[in-house]
Amino acid sequence: MFDKILIANRGEIALRVIRACREMGIQSVAVHSTADSDAMHVRMADESVCIGPPTSTQSYLSIPAIISACEITGAQAIHPGYGFLSENANFVQIVQDHDLTFIGPTADHIRTMGDKITAKDTMKALGVPCVPGSDGGVASLEEAEKIGKDIGYPVIIKATAGGGGKGMKVAQTAKDMKSAFQTARAEGKSNFGNDEVYIEKYLTTPRHIEIQVFGDGKGKAVHLGERDCSLQRRHQKVFEEAPGPSITAEERARIGKVCADAVAKINYIGAGTIEFLYENGEFYFIEMNTRLQVEHPVTEAIFRQDLVREQIRVAAGLPMSFGQDDLVIDGHAIEVRINAEKLPNFSPCPGKITQFHAPGGLGVRMDSALYDGYSIPPYYDSLIGKLIVHGRDRPEALARLARALGELIVDGVDTTVPLFHALLQEPAVLSGDYNIHWLEHWLDENLQA
Ligand code: ADP
């Protein structure tokens, strides 16, 4: 096992990894930009290294600075968290070239899944059901128009390198194709340096269902059920739950096995998420994320497993500590993402926290790097905390969420907490009867500026 791990991240996810390290008796090293000298992850880690100025490209994304920090501190492995360098195959290669261990999948797997066209081809070949669409990349508008006609409108044009909801455009009818095609290409080029796009049938009322998988890198893999992340704004998740209110035990076992078998076949190592759209009882693969997800705690809650501990174990060459038969669902969990954002426009709202009080009690977990007097810097993501609740069933989890949100105090900046108070009054949310468009419609009707 490693003696020392460096965490190439910040915020709540850095704390998450530091906590796992501490429980395992492993020393932790935080890295930080000059804007984060007072950040909680720096305070909580055993050691810290300043790796550059506030701009991410010169600090959290600076590969030389991070490798140097490992060399200075003697860290043997790097946990990337999510975002930043977590899905950068080049980084993984450089880490290995320096005889360090990357806590995550191989560079090859990251590369394969990071390109959505290659990912889809790979998954199709592994027997995973996919959204109908173009066969690979679409090079010209004429070709795009022909595909639109063949598969039928509406369609969605996606940048193969896209992510975080960027590089995706819907064409409702043939008339929209030209601008959707050109915009998706332009966004792919400017955000990801790759203008290749492909086309999928646009599903009109699907749910977003993702399967958590975990592999040992030696041909063994399990699934940890699904998460329903259908409540989204601009393709970004805001509320996640497990198990999915619409998924039966039979469906879970079936799609779970397809996913576990697929990743076992490619000797996948560590945590991964296979994302699907789910409509009329059918699953359609959209992408695979080769890292720990923001919403992993809901899965941890219902399976009583520590996914970060498990990532560290398999990276160190140890066997997985659970098999498929050990994974039995216990109750229901919900996570809400608390962002420092001002409603109704969700504009980022950095600033000084004058008071912070985290909720507690039975079945409540608050993952946050906030503290009284902390100043949220304006340079990074607006996620400031995740509130996760666990109950014996969905109604209990919902009641607990309402109770815990009532206890939470974040003063000094605007947050998305009022959104969740309002959502918990909605019959559709209470009954679990929503799809990926529900929240956008609700926001249009209820939060007009
Ligand atoms: P990203 O990598 O940017 O997260 P994804 O491919 O995972 O992009 O898609 C993000 C979200 O976009 C999905 O959760 C869903 O809401 C929507 N989406 C993607 N593909 C489709 C599709 N074919 N039909 C309808 N909605 C889609």
Side-chain angles (χ1 to χ4, degrees):
M1 184 43 73
F2 311 112
D3 301 314
K4 201 183 264 192
I5 292 175
L6 180 140
I7 298 115
N9 216 303
R10 64 183 300 282
E12 67 85 20
I13 195 61
L15 297 193
R16 171 70 190 85
V17 180
I18 293 169
R19 286 174 170 144
C21 288
R22 191 143 297 150
E23 290 179 15
M24 296 173 82
I26 299 169
Q27 297 280 304
S28 57
V29 180
V31 292
H32 66 93
S33 69
T34 50
D36 273 344
S37 303
D38 292 332
M40 192 56 129
H41 74 287
V42 175
R43 296 182 173 198
M44 219 196 244
D46 294 303
E47 285 172 71
S48 65
V49 181
C50 180
I51 51 165
T55 320
S56 303
T57 47
Q58 295 181 68
S59 51
Y60 297 104
L61 290 170
S62 167
I63 297 175
I66 289 167
I67 299 288
S68 304
C70 275
E71 286 175 347
I72 294 165
T73 56
Q76 300 136 330
I78 299 179
H79 195 300
Y82 51 69
F84 292 127
L85 294 167
S86 61
E87 292 176 289
N88 183 320
N90 181 41
F91 176 58
V92 177
Q93 196 55 59
I94 293 170
V95 169
Q96 282 162 357
D97 292 347
H98 285 79
D99 291 325
L100 300 165
T101 303
F102 179 77
I103 302 174
T106 61
D108 269 354
H109 286 151
I110 292 178
R111 207 171 284 122
T112 302
M113 299 306 165
D115 182 278
K116 293 184 178 189
I117 294 175
T118 319
K120 220 173 151 177
D121 288 347
T122 306
M123 285 297 174
K124 220 191 242 169
L126 288 165
V128 177
C130 296
V131 190
S134 61
D135 236 350
V138 179
S140 68
L141 179 60
E142 293 71 49
E143 197 185 335
E145 283 167 340
K146 182 175 180 312
I147 292 164
K149 210 167 164 190
D150 289 349
I151 60 177
Y153 287 89
V155 298
I156 184 165
I157 298 98
K158 294 176 153 184
T160 188
K166 291 206 183 82
M168 279 191 300
K169 283 285 162 268
V170 178
Q172 292 294 345
T173 67
K175 280 207 301 292
D176 309 327
M177 183 53 108
K178 188 171 175 194
S179 87
F181 182 75
Q182 286 168 349
T183 313
R185 278 181 77 144
E187 282 191 18
K189 182 90 194 157
S190 63
N191 290 294
F192 311 101
N194 181 349
D195 69 358
E196 190 172 28
V197 297
Y198 64 107
I199 299 180
E200 277 179 355
K201 175 102 190 136
Y202 185 68
L203 302 172
T204 49
T205 55
R207 302 178 76 115
H208 175 112
I209 304 284
E210 55 185 39
I211 306 291
Q212 175 73 54
V213 290
F214 206 99
D216 70 353
K218 298 167 189 152
K220 191 181 153 203
V222 297
H223 72 86
L224 291 93
E226 78 284 358
R227 294 181 284 260
D228 188 322
C229 312
S230 301
L231 292 179
Q232 303 181 351
R233 177 179 172 268
R234 305 213 168 147
H235 304 303
Q236 301 263 33
K237 302 158 189 168
V238 302
F239 175 113
E240 301 106 342
E241 60 183 311
S246 63
I247 305 298
T248 65
E250 290 72 34
E251 284 175 309
R252 175 175 311 116
R254 180 173 61 85
I255 193 71
K257 185 169 186 321
V258 168
C259 292
D261 287 351
V263 296
K265 234 178 269 170
I266 58 171
N267 293 327
Y268 188 80
I269 184 164
T273 298
I274 305 187
E275 297 192 336
F276 293 93
L277 294 175
Y278 173 80
E279 192 173 69
N280 300 327
E282 299 288 339
F283 290 90
Y284 302 97
F285 170 77
I286 45 173
E287 69 163 347
M288 176 163 183
N289 291 315
T290 49
R291 54 168 162 81
L292 192 70
Q293 305 255 120
V294 175
E295 59 273 22
H296 76 277
V298 292
T299 301
E300 294 189 321
I302 62 165
F303 287 104
R304 301 196 184 285
Q305 297 291 345
D306 180 336
L307 290 176
V308 177
R309 175 176 182 272
E310 209 59 26
Q311 287 185 298
I312 295 171
R313 280 178 58 93
V314 296
L318 294 174
M320 274 160 46
S321 62
F322 45 75
Q324 194 66 59
D325 293 343
D326 302 317
L327 298 168
V328 180
I329 294 180
D330 172 19
H332 196 95
I334 302 174
E335 171 182 286
V336 293
R337 296 194 191 193
I338 297 166
N339 292 346
E341 288 172 352
K342 195 172 170 56
L343 303 175
N345 299 320
F346 295 84
S347 42
C349 193
K352 186 167 173 161
I353 302 292
T354 52
Q355 199 189 352
F356 173 64
H357 175 77
L362 182 64
V364 175
R365 166 175 171 182
M366 180 89 200
D367 280 19
S368 171
L370 293 187
Y371 60 85
D372 278 343
Y374 173 65
S375 281
I376 302 167
Y379 311 102
Y380 313 106
D381 195 87
S382 57
L383 182 78
I384 53 169
K386 308 185 308 203
L387 172 58
I388 305 104
V389 295
H390 181 226
R392 284 172 297 185
D393 52 25
R394 192 169 187 274
E396 188 172 272
L398 286 165
R400 192 156 281 158
L401 179 59
R403 188 271 288 172
L405 281 168
E407 286 177 24
L408 172 65
I409 300 171
V410 182
D411 283 344
V413 299
D414 283 290
T415 74
T416 48
V417 169
L419 169 68
F420 300 116
H421 281 301
L423 287 178
L424 285 174
Q425 305 297 319
E426 284 299 321
V429 174
L430 296 177
S431 65
D433 182 19
Y434 49 74
N435 61 50
I436 59 167
H437 305 298
W438 185 89
L439 182 59
E440 291 280 3
H441 292 310
W442 184 88
L443 289 169
D444 284 346
E445 280 168 24
N446 293 274
L447 277 190
Q448 279 305 350

